[in-house]
Amino acid sequence: MSAATDLAEAARHHGAATDDSASRAEAAAVVAAEAAARSAGVYVRALDGMAELHRMCELYERIWRFGDGSMPLSVELMRAMSKAGNYIAGAFDGDELVGACVGFFAPPAHRSLHSHIAGVSPRTRGRSIGFALKVHQRAWALRHGVTEIAWTYDPLVGRNAYFNIGKLGARPVEYLTNFYGPMHDGLNGADETDRLLIEWRLDDPGVVAACAGTPGRFDAAAEEAAGARYALRRSPSGEPLPAAADAPTVLVAVPRDIEGLRATDPACAARWRGAVREVLGGLLAAGGRIRGFDRGDCYIVDTGGL
């Protein structure tokens, strides 16, 4: 198969070439998904059958290195979710499964999908395969009448913050303290599992542009020059330094490499967890809104002078 997705044929069968605005949006989403897959050099399609679901779970094990009893998904559960019509898709490099994403439907009135887990083989990172999976998920969701996708991520992982906020145009809406409890896998270690809840509004103009290849641009230096102030910054030695920041826009730094820090200095990693929980979590609880994430590892938060 060519490096593309399984959506184009499905879109034709579902009338995505008709003139109504919803169908035009679906057709544009399919085009964006196919372009993202071609750029990443993969083919993205739904997974089905026990053999493919076994391969997906094995891929997740290689990525997260789960301990005994901590695997978050079972093949049997994935089989049931697939049969029930939920989103389970994989990215293939030739015959090799190199990425996978799983989502399940929220209550019907919400017209929403919760994207539970997504991962890409470490061997293929840097090729934007994760982006191709998410853009495929967006096109699939629109075709199924879904207008919003939600998921969570660790606010300390800067590359994920940039991916979610910058490359996808999604927005964090809630800070969740120790959301999953202890996980004890190879990425989270013994750290508490604080998460940011993301909302991805699929028809938002910024999301449409991001999925078409125009990510959001956020510049902390420019924000600071315009009057933003740091509520949390990094010290020269890499420690968290909270500060009073009475300004309409504040900046909240995260560590450069929290996963490496958990291995080399878990006490410092724990201090970062507590500092970001207090500062960023406190800002969101008080009504602040995360507007962006600078690739230098800093959240941009509009507070309105809280």
Side-chain angles (χ1 to χ4, degrees), residues 200-284:
W200 201 25
R201 297 177 182 175
L202 304 185
D203 57 357
D204 181 271
V207 172
V208 175
C211 291
T214 304
R217 304 292 185 187
F218 306 102
D219 187 336
E223 296 286 345
E224 191 172 18
R229 295 292 177 264
Y230 274 90
L232 180 64
R233 64 169 70 241
R234 282 185 302 273
S235 75
S237 63
E239 289 284 341
L241 289 178
D246 185 11
T249 299
V250 300
L251 308 175
V252 180
V254 296
R256 296 286 188 191
D257 177 13
I258 185 60
E259 290 163 345
L261 197 61
R262 286 175 183 139
T264 61
D265 191 346
C268 183
R271 289 192 289 273
W272 270 108
R273 174 68 73 203
V276 171
R277 177 186 295 174
E278 181 176 353
V279 175
L280 187 61
L283 288 168
L284 292 183

Side-chain angles (χ1 to χ4, degrees), residues 111-124:
R111 298 182 66 192
S112 177
L113 188 78
H114 184 83
S115 187
H116 178 58
I117 186 169
V120 172
S121 168
R123 183 185 68 77
T124 59

Side-chain angles (χ1 to χ4, degrees), residues 79-276:
R79 180 67 163 164
M81 288 180 63
S82 173
K83 179 63 176 176
N86 291 286
Y87 180 83
I88 302 177
F92 290 84
D93 183 358
D95 293 330
E96 182 185 0
L97 180 66
V98 294
C101 185
V102 174
F104 51 83
F105 287 106
H110 293 182
R111 298 182 66 192
S112 177
L113 188 78
H114 184 83
S115 187
H116 178 58
I117 186 169
V120 172
S121 168
R123 183 185 68 77
T124 59
R125 283 181 185 158
R127 287 174 46 184
S128 295
I129 293 172
F131 181 72
L133 277 167
K134 294 303 290 186
V135 179
H136 178 277
Q137 186 182 51
R138 174 177 177 266
W140 183 95
L142 288 169
R143 186 161 58 81
H144 286 78
V146 170
T147 58
E148 180 180 288
I149 300 176
W151 65 91
T152 66
Y153 78 95
D154 186 340
L156 296 182
V157 182
R159 70 174 184 279
N160 287 350
Y162 171 73
F163 176 76
N164 292 324
I165 299 169
K167 287 202 70 173
L168 295 178
R171 291 291 173 265
V173 295
E174 186 179 359
Y175 193 97
L176 305 169
T177 299
N178 203 22
F179 185 61
Y180 293 110
M183 293 185 74
H184 301 296
D185 57 46
L187 298 183
N188 291 283
D191 196 4
E192 294 190 322
T193 54
D194 289 18
R195 295 292 184 263
L196 280 175
L197 177 66
I198 282 278
E199 287 183 357
W200 201 25
R201 297 177 182 175
L202 304 185
D203 57 357
D204 181 271
V207 172
V208 175
C211 291
T214 304
R217 304 292 185 187
F218 306 102
D219 187 336
E223 296 286 345
E224 191 172 18
R229 295 292 177 264
Y230 274 90
L232 180 64
R233 64 169 70 241
R234 282 185 302 273
S235 75
S237 63
E239 289 284 341
L241 289 178
D246 185 11
T249 299
V250 300
L251 308 175
V252 180
V254 296
R256 296 286 188 191
D257 177 13
I258 185 60
E259 290 163 345
L261 197 61
R262 286 175 183 139
T264 61
D265 191 346
C268 183
R271 289 192 289 273
W272 270 108
R273 174 68 73 203
V276 171

Side-chain angles (χ1 to χ4, degrees), residues 11 14-16 20-31 139 142-145:
H14 284 78
D20 64 279
S21 60
S23 292
R24 288 197 299 272
E26 291 171 24
V30 169
V31 170
L142 288 169
R143 186 161 58 81
H144 286 78

